[in-house]
Amino acid sequence: MQSPADRGDTGKSSPPVPEMVGATSAPFFIGPGTTTISLPMHPPTGPALLHQDPKHSEVTLQIENVTGDKAAPVFYIYLNVPAGDAPERYPELYAGSLAPFGLVGASRPDSEHGGNGLTFKLDVTALFARLTALKGWDPKNLKVSFVPSDWDAPVPQVRVGRVSLYFS
């Protein structure tokens, strides 16, 4: 009889495979004021189906290919702020921040990043669980707001290549 070690079974389960359940379809700009985008979502159809238990699934918001030709401030990110309201009035909807340190260098085509810019990943598991429990939750659309922090110079426009949401 083979032991678990002989079968290659170490008793550890493999990490869950992330599944994209929503993404923007085109690049957009953030700054100088608050920018809110809609992120169309769909129910999981692949690996995330295996982890439907919210206690065991993770939700990640990914902001990719962030580029710019000028230094930019930190952007605060909020989810599902009511239309027409200031995101800062809803600290419970705060998802995290995008700190574009090294933005200009990462945006240059001759840089080690090849001009692809910066990528940010935010663990929004707890916030997403709270949002899905709210009355009026729309499972087909997530609103993402980008709010620039105070900045000593005019806030430049920053290009975002894509925002995506992953379940794992």
Side-chain angles (χ1 to χ4, degrees):
M1 180 175 197
Q2 286 185 325
S3 72
D6 293 336
R7 290 191 308 266
D9 180 6
T10 61
K12 296 180 183 177
S13 61
S14 59
V17 176
E19 178 180 352
M20 185 187 299
V21 295
T24 53
S25 59
F28 60 94
F29 289 92
I30 58 176
T34 297
T35 303
T36 300
I37 56 111
S38 291
L39 184 66
M41 299 185 305
H42 61 80
T45 58
L49 285 173
L50 301 173
H51 303 284
Q52 282 289 349
D53 181 359
K55 294 178 185 172
H56 296 100
S57 64
E58 293 180 9
V59 183
T60 304
L61 186 69
Q62 187 164 304
I63 300 111
E64 306 170 61
N65 305 112
V66 178
T67 59
D69 58 4
K70 295 179 184 171
V74 169
F75 285 86
Y76 302 116
I77 301 170
Y78 295 82
L79 301 183
N80 277 13
V81 173
D85 279 348
E88 305 85 57
R89 293 185 50 209
Y90 297 90
E92 70 278 11
L93 300 179
Y94 175 73
S97 61
L98 182 153
F101 177 76
L103 177 70
V104 175
S107 301
R108 288 194 323 260
D110 61 343
S111 73
E112 80 178 62
H113 296 282
N116 290 329
L118 304 172
T119 295
F120 302 88
K121 291 182 182 182
L122 302 174
D123 180 349
V124 295
T125 305
L127 174 55
F128 196 81
R130 288 194 312 271
L131 290 173
T132 60
L134 293 174
K135 183 180 178 182
W137 163 250
D138 180 359
K140 295 181 181 179
N141 187 46
L142 182 68
K143 291 184 292 185
V144 182
S145 298
F146 297 83
V147 181
S149 62
D150 290 334
W151 189 247
D152 289 338
V155 174
Q157 280 196 326
V158 174
R159 183 180 181 272
V160 175
R162 181 171 75 172
V163 174
S164 49
L165 189 70
Y166 289 87
F167 290 176
S168 55

